[in-house]
Amino acid sequence: NAGVTQTPKFQVLKTGQSMTLQCAQDMNHNSMYWYRQDPGMGLRLIYYSASEGTTDKGEVPNGYNVSRLNKREFSLRLESAAPSQTSVYFCASSETGNDQPQHFGDGTRLSIL
Amino acid sequence: AQTVTQSQPEMSVQEAETVTLSCTYDTSESDYYLFWYKQPPSRQMILVIRQEAYKQQNATENRFSVNFQKAAKSFSLKISDSQLGDAAMYFCAYRSAPFFMRFGAGTRLTVKP
């Protein structure tokens, strides 16, 4: 059972380049999320999608866009990458409800030079 | 805004001994959920244990248990009979509003053989 799959696992970009991070889940979850993880700061929510067809901003949305392509897939796009966006990015999914844990992918390590 | 604080950046424990990781949070909500996640070097985020705020009884999952003190807004994780495979980053997380989960900065646990 794959769970949440993220591609790519590693990527190096130059400042100003664009990039799309892909995420797919096979658990039939309604909700999906994108987080970034920086040293000493834990995970911070970038965008989320409560259900297919909806997306909303999280805590740190600036510089990012998202697309909920269908129930399975939720992509994160950096239109013009900046060094401040160097981070590890996690996609997660969950059933609807505050008590439902989020299931995470393995993360994408993104470096922007 | 709710905040989650993990005051111990690093902890170490001898194999087979017990260790407690601290977490405090700030909220005005009465109904919420708390989670502990483990992140081994593989980077995967793994749910360890979950606590519902309206339940008095502390959650337990095998060697993992929590000490939930609602009045003190404290949610510590106790690991008994520590094993080498317990070495990881541990994140405390809080969730009251739909889709928003706030994470602490993490505690790195080292297990000494």
Side-chain angles (χ1 to χ4, degrees), chain B residues 7-70:
Chain B
S7 58
Q8 308 152 316
E10 296 183 356
M11 292 283 285
S12 68
V13 63
Q14 206 70 35
E15 194 176 6
E17 294 188 345
T18 296
V19 64
T20 299
L21 309 184
S22 301
C23 174
T24 58
Y25 56 93
D26 182 24
T27 184
S28 57
E29 303 288 338
S30 59
D31 186 18
Y32 51 87
Y33 295 84
L34 298 162
F35 305 83
W36 278 98
Y37 280 87
K38 169 185 177 181
Q39 186 181 43
S42 66
R43 213 166 61 197
Q44 187 180 14
M45 292 285 285
I46 302 165
L47 177 67
V48 175
I49 201 164
R50 169 176 52 181
Q51 175 77 42
E52 300 165 41
Y54 63 85
K55 283 192 175 179
Q56 298 276 355
Q57 187 173 7
N58 289 326
T60 300
E61 289 286 344
N62 300 315
R63 297 182 295 106
F64 298 87
S65 62
V66 299
N67 183 4
F68 174 48
Q69 303 287 330
K70 191 172 184 179

Side-chain angles (χ1 to χ4, degrees), chain A residues 61-93:
Chain A
N62 291 344
Y64 305 95
N65 286 302
V66 291
S67 296
R68 183 74 183 265
L69 304 170
N70 47 55
K71 191 171 186 178
R72 289 187 64 247
E73 299 174 286
F74 188 39
S75 63
L76 177 72
R77 183 162 178 84
L78 287 70
E79 290 291 352
S80 179
S84 61
Q85 294 177 304
T86 293
S87 189
V88 179
Y89 290 84
F90 285 94
C91 178
S93 70

Side-chain angles (χ1 to χ4, degrees), chain B residues 59-93:
Chain B
T60 300
E61 289 286 344
N62 300 315
R63 297 182 295 106
F64 298 87
S65 62
V66 299
N67 183 4
F68 174 48
Q69 303 287 330
K70 191 172 184 179
K73 298 178 183 174
S74 171
F75 180 59
S76 60
L77 175 68
K78 186 171 83 171
I79 306 174
S80 304
D81 186 25
S82 296
Q83 301 175 359
L84 295 177
D86 294 333
M89 283 289 288
Y90 286 83
F91 292 95
C92 176

Side-chain angles (χ1 to χ4, degrees), chain A residues 31-53:
Chain A
S31 304
M32 298 186 73
Y33 314 81
W34 276 104
Y35 289 90
R36 60 179 288 173
Q37 182 180 21
D38 300 297
M41 299 190 73
L43 278 76
R44 292 181 293 168
L45 183 65
I46 304 171
Y47 269 93
Y48 67 93
S49 171
S51 59
E52 186 178 354

Side-chain angles (χ1 to χ4, degrees), chain A residues 19-37:
Chain A
M19 170 79 189
T20 299
L21 306 185
Q22 306 287 352
C23 175
Q25 53 95 5
D26 62 4
M27 295 173 282
N28 203 35
H29 287 162
N30 284 317
S31 304
M32 298 186 73
Y33 314 81
W34 276 104
Y35 289 90
R36 60 179 288 173
Q37 182 180 21

